[in-house]
Amino acid sequence: MRQVRDIMSAAPVCMAPGESVSAAARAMKQHGIGTVLVLTDGRLSGLVTDRDITVRVLAENRDPRTTLIGDICSSEPVVLGPDDDLAEASRLVRDRAVRRIPVLRDGTPVGVVSIGDLALERDAGARA
C-alpha cells in the first residue's frame, strides 16, 4: 500500500502569521506552489492558498502589503502523517472538500499532499 510520503511535495514553505500576503504571494511564485503553511511557535496554525489570496484579499479590495497571512489563513487545517495511506488522503479530500493537506511528523510540517498529487497517483495506478 502506497503512503502519503510517496507522493507528497516535501519541504513545504512555512511563514509566520505576521508576514504579509504580498510576502506569501512572492514565496508562492518563487517556489512554484499554491500553499504556504502558517506556523506559530513552530507549530502549524493554518495554511494560506492562492485562492485565499484571491477571495479574501483581492476580491475584498484589501491591501496585500498590509494584510497579514494570519488574518486570512484557514485555521485548524486537516492534516495527515507521512505514514498514512493514500486511501485516507483521498477520503479526507472528498469528505472535507479540501485541495491541499499539510503532512506533519511529530507536529512538524514535512510536506503537503494535493488533490493533483492524488490524481497523478490514481492515473499512474490505472496505467499499471
Side-chain angles (χ1 to χ4, degrees):
M1 171 107 9
R2 302 249 310 155
Q3 297 174 317
V4 168
R5 75 170 72 253
D6 298 323
I7 68 164
M8 71 180 190
S9 299
V13 174
C14 302
M15 298 178 82
E19 294 285 335
S20 72
V21 168
S22 288
R26 282 191 303 275
M28 288 178 190
K29 179 181 178 183
Q30 177 183 359
H31 295 279
I33 57 172
T35 302
V36 169
L37 302 184
V38 182
L39 301 185
T40 302
D41 299 324
R43 294 291 194 194
L44 182 69
S45 57
L47 65 95
V48 65
T49 67
D50 45 6
R51 185 177 189 284
D52 293 330
I53 293 171
T54 301
V55 172
R56 297 178 182 166
V57 179
L58 301 177
E60 294 179 3
N61 291 318
R62 294 169 75 175
D63 186 345
R65 294 169 298 173
T66 58
T67 303
L68 305 180
I69 61 173
D71 293 338
I72 67 153
C73 70
S74 303
S75 60
E76 300 182 27
V78 176
V79 299
L80 288 164
D83 298 326
D84 289 339
D85 64 54
L86 295 183
E88 174 67 4
S90 294
R91 185 190 67 74
L92 284 174
V93 165
R94 259 191 331 273
D95 294 352
R96 301 297 282 284
V98 294
R99 296 181 157 286
R100 299 171 179 108
I101 302 175
V103 181
L104 306 182
R105 179 183 298 121
D106 299 323
T108 302
V110 294
V112 175
V113 66
S114 72
I115 193 169
D117 297 330
L118 291 166
L120 288 172
E121 175 65 19
R122 183 176 176 176
D123 285 351
R127 286 188 293 241

